Amino acid sequence: MPRIAAFPAVCYSRGGRGFYVRERLDSWKDIGGYLGRDIRTAQRWALNRGLPVRRVPGGDKPRVFALKSEIDGWLNAEAAGLPTEIPSIAVLPFVNMSGDPADECFGDGLTDDVIDALARIPDLRVTARTSSFAFRNVQQDVREIGSRLGAANLLEGSVRRIGDRVRVSAQLVSASDGYHLWSQSYDRRLVDMFAIQSEIAHSIALALKVRLTVEPRGKRPTENPKAYEFWLKGRSIGAPNTPEAYARAHECYAAAIGLDPNFAEPYADTAAILFHGAEFGMNTSPDAPRQARDLVLKALELNDGLEEGHAVMGMVRALVEYDWAGAELSFQRALQISPGSAFVRLRHAWYCLLPQRNVEQALVEAEEAVAQDPLNPMAHNVLGLVFLVACNPARAEEECRIAADLAPGLWMPQWCLGASMMMRRKLFQGFRQCRSVHDRFPLQPAITGAMCMLYAKFFRRKKARQFLAQLVELSNTAYVPPVAFAMAYFGLGDDRAFEWFDKAIEVRDPGLTQLASLPFFDHARGDPRFHSLLVRMNLT
């Protein structure tokens, strides 16, 4: 049997040549050149005429980028004499006025609901939750917040809980001058909080003169106030994307379902954290992907209008059923419900498009997700990995570095930064970065398996086998995803890698489907056993 080569330092190519579809213009010079104008004219048009230009976070002078497709649409609208600027809004976290920190989840829940409702409006650009929540308890001028989020309007508000009732105040302000465009107060029962978002969305659509062609969801999800409270707490607690946060959120969702088995949202949210936990090496059972499938099927049976539910269903069809056409249908259904959802676009790019090597469309979706959620580290991380597959390691490193700066406490952005540096031939710096991630997260199986692969690549096989021994030791006390062992043996050139790849298919390990696209496995593509893996996943 042929031996396996360790991962190469070259990018995936199609027809022997690397490719990168340049949909994105990465500087004022590029934007001006595309328009056939000088830099100052492009900057003036962005300021005064709504030329769609985005800002990249970080640094004293944040850089800019633009998408050719959006500029083309802007030029066509200009030529037709139509309004060219798409209204944009960021919903800042509603302030808890109750005096009890335990009530903060109600403000977070209402903020989430309003963002979800607004994201359903086709002609409105809505900043996603992660970026908006970066300004919780931050005293900053509205103009600066609007600039950092790329939003022309900001929605601010407060929530006060009094027994089983809540009082909500909301106001819409212009980010350019702080001018108040609209304000309203509400006094409702706790279980009616979900309906307030629909009223706020209608009012904002009228204030910004946006076509309200889609009805924001206004159906009350549960009649049980306690179940609703547990769900809100789970959404708030799970936001940091850490193992501890996922475990506590899981408990809250289980409590909500226990109180109301017909409450759809906690089923979908539990499915999402099970999938993400498996993806990030946080799950404690090989059954997690299939458990997620059962949960999301139940959620959509109860409520077919959940865009996040359809997105998770797309992940299920891709990673559990290997039904790529079905996965695409689920993601398109999610985008039909909520065309402004960064959550949906990001997962469409990573879980559906990239495994099928549809790099061009994955790049468009990931860039749009970053534009809608500019302070979300995982959005930048996924975009960096898409650039890596697109044979643009410089841009991959840039995006992964932004992700790592935004989330110093998450291992995946830190690791991907090191990997992207090595793909740029910065071998020593990248290796040192990856080793530091392992030092900080020694119990993360995916990192241990990858470190074994790296040491074998650099011909330090004795050290590589030490990491393999660590992985075996970890497996004695915790669940180790099969892909972790597969990577370790793959790096060592050991044929047992394919035994572990087979096991990964059996349990539907989510990390397996990226084999078809990520450049780390290029040297194995000529191996018939590797081709057989792709055939079994319907990825040939």
Side-chain angles (χ1 to χ4, degrees):
M1 299 293 283
R3 285 179 58 80
I4 309 166
F7 77 85
V10 296
C11 288
Y12 168 73
S13 60
R14 183 176 288 172
R17 294 182 298 167
F19 67 89
Y20 163 50
V21 178
R22 188 168 169 74
E23 157 70 1
R24 176 162 155 163
L25 304 167
D26 294 308
S27 66
W28 284 114
K29 182 179 179 180
D30 288 348
I31 296 168
Y34 188 71
L35 291 167
R37 298 290 190 274
D38 59 32
I39 291 174
R40 290 185 178 179
T41 298
Q43 291 173 333
R44 188 173 64 252
W45 286 1
L47 181 65
N48 299 323
R49 293 171 57 182
L51 178 67
V53 175
R54 319 285 182 75
R55 295 185 181 275
V56 178
D60 296 332
K61 296 181 179 179
R63 288 161 291 122
V64 299
F65 73 92
L67 304 182
K68 288 181 179 179
S69 57
E70 290 191 351
I71 288 185
D72 290 343
W74 180 86
L75 289 169
N76 291 335
E78 281 263 313
L82 300 173
T84 55
E85 186 172 8
I86 298 175
S88 56
I89 186 171
V91 183
L92 301 182
F94 278 61
V95 178
N96 171 29
M97 302 294 290
S98 302
D100 184 352
D103 287 339
E104 194 164 86
C105 65
F106 296 107
D108 290 354
L110 181 58
T111 307
D112 275 340
D113 291 345
V114 172
I115 290 173
D116 290 346
L118 293 173
R120 293 172 174 237
I121 301 176
D123 295 330
L124 184 64
R125 180 174 294 281
V126 185
T127 301
R129 180 193 198 277
T130 305
S131 295
S132 291
F133 274 67
F135 292 93
R136 184 202 295 279
N137 301 324
V138 174
Q139 298 298 320
Q140 202 164 17
D141 186 84
V142 293
R143 287 169 291 190
E144 178 62 23
I145 295 175
S147 176
R148 290 192 62 191
L149 295 178
N153 304 281
L154 302 176
L155 182 69
E156 304 173 310
S158 64
V159 177
R160 182 188 300 273
R161 180 186 181 185
I162 305 172
D164 64 349
R165 300 191 69 84
V166 290
R167 291 179 180 173
V168 176
S169 296
Q171 52 272 344
L172 180 68
V173 300
S174 168
S176 63
D177 53 17
Y179 181 77
H180 279 243
L181 304 174
W182 165 86
S183 64
Q184 184 65 49
S185 296
Y186 308 85
D187 189 341
R188 303 287 172 80
R189 292 190 306 153
L190 178 62
V191 292
D192 290 326
M193 270 185 64
F194 203 75
I196 296 175
Q197 53 84 7
S198 181
E199 297 182 37
I200 292 176
H202 273 92
S203 298
I204 289 173
L206 291 172
L208 299 181
K209 298 180 174 61
V210 177
R211 293 182 303 117
L212 195 62
T213 57
V214 178
E215 182 71 17
R217 88 185 155 187
K219 177 185 175 183
R220 184 182 299 164
T222 178
E223 296 293 335
N224 189 311
K226 196 64 179 177
Y228 185 70
E229 184 174 349
F230 272 119
W231 175 62
L232 290 180
K233 285 183 178 179
R235 299 267 290 189
S236 182
I237 289 170
N241 298 316
T242 64
E244 298 77 16
Y246 280 167
R248 292 174 61 203
H250 196 303
E251 292 175 359
C252 290
Y253 296 145
I257 292 170
L259 290 168
D260 184 356
N262 294 318
F263 188 2
E265 279 77 356
Y267 288 102
D269 288 335
T270 304
I273 64 173
L274 283 176
F275 247 122
H276 295 148
E279 172 78 0
F280 301 152
M282 301 175 188
N283 61 315
T284 58
S285 166
D287 298 326
R290 290 183 172 90
Q291 290 171 355
R293 175 181 59 190
D294 295 340
L295 287 164
V296 75
L297 284 171
K298 179 65 174 178
L300 294 177
E301 176 188 324
L302 293 169
N303 184 353
D304 187 59
L306 297 177
E307 70 274 10
E308 292 189 9
H310 284 285
V312 176
M313 191 66 223
M315 294 158 59
V316 164
R317 286 176 162 174
L319 306 185
V320 176
E321 300 171 0
Y322 300 144
D323 175 9
W324 302 99
E328 181 64 27
L329 288 174
S330 289
F331 279 111
Q332 291 304 322
R333 171 62 176 145
L335 288 170
Q336 180 186 37
I337 296 170
S338 184
S341 173
F343 175 96
V344 175
R345 292 190 183 280
L346 195 63
R347 283 146 186 83
H348 186 207
W350 180 243
Y351 294 108
C352 183
L353 296 172
L354 207 58
Q356 299 180 83
R357 291 172 288 181
N358 188 346
V359 183
E360 299 94 329
Q361 186 61 29
L363 192 62
V364 172
E365 290 284 66
E367 288 189 322
E368 182 61 26
V370 167
Q372 293 174 355
D373 206 357
L375 301 182
N376 184 345
M378 295 312 298
H380 286 281
N381 192 74
V382 168
L383 179 56
L385 291 172
V386 176
F387 274 123
L388 203 61
V389 176
C391 288
N392 191 335
R395 284 303 315 279
E397 181 186 348
E398 178 183 332
E399 293 297 334
C400 289
R401 190 173 298 280
I402 293 172
D405 289 343
L406 288 170
L410 295 181
W411 72 264
M412 184 169 278
Q414 309 298 322
W415 176 267
C416 292
L417 172 60
S420 65
M421 292 168 72
M422 284 189 282
M423 296 304 292
R424 287 196 70 189
R425 307 277 183 177
K426 297 180 179 180
L427 299 180
F428 177 76
Q429 300 99 312
F431 187 86
R432 186 171 58 185
Q433 169 71 14
C434 289
R435 188 174 58 193
S436 71
V437 177
H438 177 267
D439 291 343
R440 292 176 58 198
F441 302 92
L443 300 180
Q444 171 51 250
I447 299 176
T448 304
M451 285 303 297
C452 179
M453 186 171 69
L454 283 181
Y455 272 105
K457 164 66 178 176
F458 287 104
F459 308 106
R460 297 183 62 182
R461 299 179 67 80
K462 182 177 179 180
K463 187 70 173 176
R465 292 192 180 280
Q466 290 177 8
F467 279 96
L468 177 59
Q470 286 183 28
L471 208 56
V472 172
E473 186 177 350
L474 274 175
S475 70
N476 292 329
T477 57
Y479 173 67
V480 173
V483 164
F485 276 111
M487 286 192 297
Y489 285 117
F490 184 85
L492 288 164
D494 190 316
D495 288 339
R496 281 177 287 182
F498 285 100
E499 297 176 16
W500 284 99
F501 281 137
D502 287 339
K503 292 178 182 178
I505 285 184
E506 290 174 13
V507 301
R508 297 305 197 261
D509 192 330
L512 191 62
T513 55
Q514 298 302 339
L515 285 176
S517 59
L518 289 176
F520 312 126
F521 304 97
D522 279 355
H523 281 182
R525 297 188 192 283
D527 191 314
R529 295 168 297 174
F530 190 89
H531 180 76
S532 176
L533 283 174
L534 300 184
V535 169
R536 292 170 65 188
M537 293 187 289
N538 297 320
L539 285 174
T540 54

